[in-house]
Amino acid sequence: MVLSRKLRDEIVAHARTAAPQECCGLLLGEDEVVRRVLRCQNVHPTPETRYLIDGKEVLDALRSSDDFDRELVAIYHSHPRTQAYPSPTDRSEAHWPAAAYVLVSLRAEPPELFAYRIKAGAVREISVVES
Amino acid sequence: MPVTVRLPGALRDATGGETKLVAAGATLREVIADIDRRHPGFASRVLDDKGELRSYVNVYIGEDDARTRGGSAAQVPEGSEVMVIPAMAGGG
């Protein structure tokens, strides 16, 4: 996955703004190159430890795209206090196997950001190349 | 009554890769059953054992969240666009 320093900083800024709650959003682009960050609302009732992207925002993103499955490079969220690795909940609730899952952790400075594929609960880290 | 059903994300593998289908039915449950006749196993991906929408599946009928219109019993007007969208969720 290719992510510019500017867009990476946008994701980290979103995580800092949302803390102590988890932030979430979409990374849109094509061919694994992220072109923009779409911040979304975390509508989960316990946002300090869980995230749920507002379904209406996903619907709007789908409707505004000619090929959403191709445009969706990654789904991102933050872990304010834990490592940037998919939790058991992250693994069991990953229903978009073609997308990457990007996690940003605020537990240390500078914040860590990693990307993974999650398919049928199996996690595989993928590289994040700065453009 | 034909309706268009769109299936982004993981559900496409339940329909042999098809992401846009035409289906028939007056209710969401009937529409899902119609797709299941062509793609056996689809219904179990979307509905639980009681025939209700699985918690990780969001369905929109036009602009309306199906859960606000009766869940799987929601009426689906002819010509509607139905979006079946897996939830984007997790946390740790």
Side-chain angles (χ1 to χ4, degrees):
Chain A
M1 192 178 82
V2 179
L3 180 69
S4 70
R5 168 59 63 176
K6 177 175 176 291
L7 294 179
R8 178 194 163 106
D9 289 348
E10 265 189 61
I11 299 166
V12 171
H14 189 192
R16 291 193 197 281
T17 301
Q21 298 183 357
E22 297 192 6
C23 75
C24 53
L26 308 180
L27 303 183
L28 302 173
E30 57 186 4
D31 299 330
E32 300 200 6
V33 179
V34 180
R35 302 290 186 198
R36 65 188 175 102
V37 175
L38 180 65
R39 292 187 179 199
C40 295
Q41 292 292 316
N42 181 357
V43 296
H44 198 281
T46 54
E48 289 79 11
T49 54
R50 299 283 295 274
Y51 78 96
L52 173 63
I53 295 182
D54 184 353
K56 190 69 169 57
E57 289 185 277
V58 180
L59 179 70
D60 291 343
L62 270 158
R63 288 232 167 100
S64 63
S65 174
D66 293 332
D67 186 350
F68 184 71
D69 284 323
R70 182 163 182 260
E71 191 183 3
L72 178 66
V73 178
I75 299 161
Y76 75 89
H77 76 282
S78 61
H79 284 177
R81 287 171 297 278
T82 56
Q83 63 181 335
Y85 188 81
S87 68
T89 304
D90 289 329
R91 295 196 290 274
S92 67
E93 298 195 359
H95 300 296
W96 292 78
Y101 282 81
V102 166
L103 282 91
V104 58
S105 169
L106 300 178
R107 71 172 181 169
E109 287 296 334
E112 294 176 325
L113 184 149
F114 292 102
Y116 306 90
R117 297 271 178 214
I118 307 175
K119 191 168 186 178
V123 177
R124 177 170 61 88
E125 185 179 343
I126 59 174
S127 62
V128 180
V129 178
E130 188 177 318
S131 62
Chain B
M1 293 197 289
V3 300
T4 303
V5 181
R6 290 181 62 184
L7 304 164
L11 288 169
R12 63 164 55 180
D13 65 13
T15 57
E18 283 190 70
T19 57
K20 190 173 183 179
L21 302 92
V22 175
T27 66
L28 185 56
R29 192 175 290 133
E30 290 174 9
V31 168
I32 292 167
D34 185 45
I35 296 174
D36 190 74
R37 277 189 282 277
R38 284 173 278 162
H39 301 286
F42 175 78
S44 67
R45 297 282 297 275
V46 179
L47 303 177
D48 63 19
D49 294 343
K50 295 175 181 170
E52 297 301 327
L53 290 172
R54 290 192 180 278
S55 60
Y56 58 80
V57 175
N58 295 314
V59 178
Y60 290 87
I61 303 169
E63 295 299 316
D64 297 333
D65 184 338
R67 286 192 172 85
T68 68
R69 290 173 49 174
S72 60
Q75 296 290 311
V76 183
E78 185 170 2
S80 298
E81 181 179 71
V82 178
M83 289 273 213
V84 185
I85 309 172
M88 295 178 172

